[in-house]
Amino acid sequence: MGTLRDLQYALQEKIEELRQRDALIDELELELDQKDELIQKLQNELDKYRSVIRPATQQAQKQSASTLQGEPRTKRQAISAEPTAFDIQDLSHVTLPFYPKSPQSKDLIKEAILDNDFMKNLELSQIQEIVDCMYPVEYGKDSCIIKEGDVGSLVYVMEDGKVEVTKEGVKLCTMGPGKVFGELAILYNCTRTATVKTLVNVKLWAIDRQCFQTIMMRTGLIKHTEYMEFLKSVPTFQSLPEEILSKLADVLEETHYENGEYIIRQGARGDTFFIISKGKVNVTREDSPSEDPVFLRTLGKGDWFGEKALQGWTCNPFRTMGL
């Protein structure tokens, strides 16, 4: 039987152990809070991006719903910053402007867009159309290109020169060739958040919100139509109502995998449901780490996998490899 001193010593050890655990918990909670903040920030940026990329789909749904309810079709309107009712037929008759450029200018604009945090996730076809539609603009030294607080409708890519960016009179930075600025005006329909003045003569390429949103809407509607046709071609989905198919098409995201690349791995946490639109995949199961995987079947166009991820399962029972 231990003495009182032994018990006191053991108690002190336990207290110290608890203190260390409390300190570790505090560190982990702080790290978790930081990650939560990062996730929230990324989610906000994703929401902003989706609000730009998929406005056309939402407008098409609203128009379809009003037609089904017997409401008169909204009169066709001209393309504007806040479009109300467009479909593919409307946009197919819109001719986008085209301004010839040298290969060097095209590459510069494309690289500038891909380097911009707000525009780099656009599809390559959208970027190509934006490049084609941009027109040349020149400003002399000490000119004001953008004034803080003004309503903006143009986004610029600088090809030559240098500008200074200020906010409330405080210098933020200087920018040179290959930089995008003014993009918030066409992405979020907001007033200018800073002032941009030239330090030397500059040459720019510009595109307005009307042209930009036309590109976004047309691309979105074309993609939505393609996804609808694909879903209707899948035998299992053919009996689903048009409304359900439309909602599925809204949330589909196209992903590409190389030959031999793993799409999902057995035992990994699953949160994605896949439908094969092109190519084939092999499905295998690993019964033991020391044994070779067991081949189960091959899936092709119209087949799907990963559906258990949508049913609350936390892991994938199989692994799937692209062919």
Coordinates of all heavy atoms in Angstrom, one line a residue, residues 251-283:
V251 N -25.8 20.8 -61.1 CA -24.7 20.5 -60.1 C -23.6 19.6 -60.7 O -22.6 19.3 -60.0 CB -25.3 19.9 -58.9 CG1 -26.3 20.8 -58.2 CG2 -26.0 18.5 -59.1
L252 N -23.8 19.1 -62.0 CA -22.8 18.3 -62.6 C -21.5 19.2 -62.8 O -21.6 20.3 -63.2 CB -23.2 17.7 -63.9 CG -24.2 16.5 -63.8 CD1 -24.5 16.1 -65.3 CD2 -23.5 15.4 -63.1
E253 N -20.4 18.6 -62.6 CA -19.1 19.2 -62.9 C -18.2 18.2 -63.6 O -18.1 17.1 -63.2 CB -18.4 19.6 -61.6 CG -19.1 20.7 -60.8 CD -18.3 21.2 -59.6 OE1 -17.2 20.7 -59.4 OE2 -18.9 22.0 -58.8
E254 N -17.7 18.7 -64.8 CA -16.9 17.8 -65.6 C -15.5 17.6 -65.1 O -14.8 18.6 -64.8 CB -16.9 18.4 -67.0 CG -16.3 17.4 -68.1 CD -16.5 18.0 -69.5 OE1 -17.6 18.4 -69.8 OE2 -15.5 18.0 -70.2
T255 N -15.1 16.4 -65.0 CA -13.7 16.1 -64.5 C -13.1 15.1 -65.4 O -13.7 14.1 -65.8 CB -13.8 15.5 -63.0 OG1 -14.6 16.4 -62.2 CG2 -12.4 15.4 -62.4
H256 N -11.8 15.3 -65.6 CA -11.1 14.4 -66.5 C -10.0 13.6 -65.8 O -9.3 14.1 -64.9 CB -10.4 15.2 -67.7 CG -11.4 16.0 -68.5 ND1 -11.9 15.4 -69.7 CD2 -11.9 17.2 -68.3 CE1 -12.7 16.3 -70.2 NE2 -12.8 17.4 -69.4
Y257 N -9.8 12.3 -66.1 CA -8.8 11.5 -65.5 C -8.0 10.8 -66.6 O -8.6 10.4 -67.7 CB -9.5 10.4 -64.6 CG -10.2 11.0 -63.4 CD1 -11.5 11.3 -63.5 CD2 -9.5 11.1 -62.2 CE1 -12.1 11.8 -62.3 CE2 -10.1 11.6 -61.1 CZ -11.4 12.0 -61.2 OH -12.0 12.5 -60.0
E258 N -6.7 10.7 -66.4 CA -5.8 10.0 -67.3 C -6.0 8.5 -67.2 O -6.4 8.0 -66.2 CB -4.4 10.4 -67.1 CG -4.1 11.9 -67.3 CD -4.3 12.4 -68.7 OE1 -4.1 11.6 -69.6 OE2 -4.8 13.6 -68.9
N259 N -5.5 7.8 -68.2 CA -5.5 6.3 -68.3 C -4.7 5.8 -67.1 O -3.5 6.2 -66.9 CB -4.9 5.8 -69.6 CG -4.9 4.3 -69.7 OD1 -5.8 3.7 -69.0 ND2 -4.0 3.7 -70.4
G260 N -5.3 4.9 -66.3 CA -4.6 4.3 -65.2 C -4.6 5.1 -63.9 O -4.1 4.6 -62.9
E261 N -5.3 6.2 -63.9 CA -5.3 7.1 -62.7 C -6.5 6.6 -61.8 O -7.6 6.2 -62.3 CB -5.6 8.5 -63.1 CG -5.6 9.5 -62.0 CD -5.7 10.9 -62.4 OE1 -5.8 11.2 -63.7 OE2 -5.8 11.8 -61.6
Y262 N -6.2 6.6 -60.5 CA -7.3 6.2 -59.6 C -8.3 7.4 -59.4 O -7.9 8.5 -59.2 CB -6.7 5.9 -58.2 CG -6.0 4.5 -58.1 CD1 -4.7 4.4 -58.2 CD2 -6.8 3.4 -58.1 CE1 -4.0 3.2 -58.1 CE2 -6.2 2.1 -58.1 CZ -4.8 2.0 -58.1 OH -4.2 0.8 -58.0
I263 N -9.6 7.0 -59.5 CA -10.6 8.0 -59.3 C -11.1 8.0 -57.8 O -11.2 9.0 -57.2 CB -11.8 7.7 -60.2 CG1 -11.4 7.7 -61.7 CG2 -13.0 8.7 -60.0 CD1 -12.4 7.2 -62.7
I264 N -11.4 6.8 -57.3 CA -11.6 6.6 -55.8 C -10.8 5.5 -55.3 O -10.5 4.5 -56.1 CB -13.1 6.5 -55.5 CG1 -13.7 5.2 -56.2 CG2 -13.9 7.7 -55.9 CD1 -15.1 4.9 -55.8
R265 N -10.4 5.5 -54.1 CA -9.6 4.4 -53.5 C -10.4 3.8 -52.4 O -11.1 4.4 -51.6 CB -8.3 5.0 -52.9 CG -7.4 5.6 -53.9 CD -6.9 4.6 -55.0 NE -6.0 3.6 -54.3 CZ -4.7 3.7 -54.3 NH1 -4.1 4.7 -54.8 NH2 -4.0 2.8 -53.7
Q266 N -10.3 2.5 -52.3 CA -11.0 1.7 -51.3 C -10.5 2.2 -49.9 O -9.3 2.4 -49.6 CB -10.6 0.2 -51.5 CG -11.3 -0.7 -50.4 CD -11.0 -2.2 -50.7 OE1 -10.5 -2.5 -51.8 NE2 -11.3 -3.0 -49.8
G267 N -11.5 2.4 -49.0 CA -11.2 2.9 -47.7 C -11.1 4.4 -47.5 O -11.1 4.9 -46.4
A268 N -11.0 5.1 -48.6 CA -10.9 6.6 -48.5 C -12.3 7.2 -48.2 O -13.3 6.6 -48.6 CB -10.3 7.2 -49.8
R269 N -12.3 8.3 -47.6 CA -13.6 9.0 -47.4 C -14.2 9.5 -48.7 O -13.5 10.1 -49.5 CB -13.4 10.2 -46.5 CG -14.7 11.0 -46.1 CD -14.4 12.1 -45.1 NE -13.9 11.6 -43.9 CZ -14.6 11.1 -42.9 NH1 -16.0 11.1 -43.0 NH2 -14.1 10.7 -41.8
G270 N -15.5 9.2 -48.9 CA -16.1 9.5 -50.2 C -17.2 10.6 -50.1 O -18.0 10.5 -49.1
D271 N -17.2 11.5 -51.0 CA -18.2 12.6 -51.0 C -18.6 13.0 -52.4 O -19.2 14.0 -52.6 CB -17.6 13.8 -50.2 CG -16.4 14.4 -50.9 OD1 -15.9 13.8 -51.9 OD2 -15.9 15.4 -50.3
T272 N -18.3 12.1 -53.4 CA -18.6 12.5 -54.8 C -19.2 11.3 -55.5 O -18.8 10.1 -55.3 CB -17.3 12.8 -55.5 OG1 -16.6 13.9 -54.8 CG2 -17.6 13.4 -56.9
F273 N -20.2 11.6 -56.3 CA -21.0 10.6 -57.1 C -20.6 10.9 -58.5 O -20.6 12.0 -59.0 CB -22.5 10.8 -56.9 CG -23.3 10.0 -57.8 CD1 -23.2 8.7 -57.9 CD2 -24.3 10.7 -58.7 CE1 -24.0 8.0 -58.8 CE2 -25.1 10.0 -59.5 CZ -25.0 8.6 -59.6
F274 N -20.1 9.8 -59.2 CA -19.6 9.9 -60.6 C -20.5 9.2 -61.6 O -21.1 8.2 -61.3 CB -18.2 9.2 -60.7 CG -17.2 9.9 -59.8 CD1 -16.9 9.4 -58.5 CD2 -16.4 10.9 -60.3 CE1 -16.0 10.0 -57.8 CE2 -15.4 11.5 -59.6 CZ -15.2 11.1 -58.3
I275 N -20.7 9.9 -62.7 CA -21.4 9.3 -63.9 C -20.4 9.4 -65.1 O -19.8 10.4 -65.3 CB -22.7 10.1 -64.3 CG1 -23.6 10.2 -63.1 CG2 -23.4 9.4 -65.4 CD1 -24.8 11.1 -63.3
I276 N -20.2 8.3 -65.7 CA -19.2 8.2 -66.8 C -19.8 8.7 -68.1 O -20.8 8.2 -68.6 CB -18.7 6.7 -67.0 CG1 -18.1 6.2 -65.7 CG2 -17.7 6.7 -68.1 CD1 -17.8 4.7 -65.8
S277 N -19.2 9.8 -68.6 CA -19.7 10.3 -69.9 C -18.9 9.8 -71.1 O -19.3 9.8 -72.2 CB -19.7 11.8 -69.9 OG -18.4 12.4 -69.7
K278 N -17.6 9.5 -70.8 CA -16.7 9.0 -71.9 C -15.6 8.1 -71.3 O -15.1 8.5 -70.2 CB -16.1 10.2 -72.6 CG -15.3 9.8 -73.8 CD -14.7 11.0 -74.5 CE -13.9 10.6 -75.7 NZ -13.3 11.8 -76.4
G279 N -15.3 7.0 -71.9 CA -14.2 6.2 -71.4 C -14.8 5.0 -70.6 O -16.0 4.7 -70.5
K280 N -13.8 4.3 -70.0 CA -14.2 3.1 -69.2 C -13.4 3.1 -67.9 O -12.3 3.7 -67.8 CB -13.9 1.8 -69.9 CG -14.8 1.6 -71.2 CD -14.4 0.3 -71.9 CE -15.3 0.1 -73.1 NZ -15.0 -1.2 -73.8
V281 N -13.9 2.4 -66.9 CA -13.2 2.3 -65.6 C -13.2 0.9 -65.1 O -14.2 0.1 -65.4 CB -13.7 3.2 -64.5 CG1 -13.6 4.7 -64.9 CG2 -15.1 2.9 -64.1
N282 N -12.2 0.4 -64.5 CA -12.2 -0.9 -63.8 C -12.5 -0.7 -62.3 O -12.0 0.2 -61.7 CB -10.8 -1.6 -64.0 CG -10.7 -2.3 -65.3 OD1 -11.6 -2.5 -66.0 ND2 -9.4 -2.6 -65.7
V283 N -13.3 -1.6 -61.8 CA -13.6 -1.7 -60.4 C -13.0 -2.9 -59.8 O -13.2 -4.0 -60.2 CB -15.2 -1.7 -60.2 CG1 -15.5 -1.7 -58.7 CG2 -15.9 -0.6 -60.9

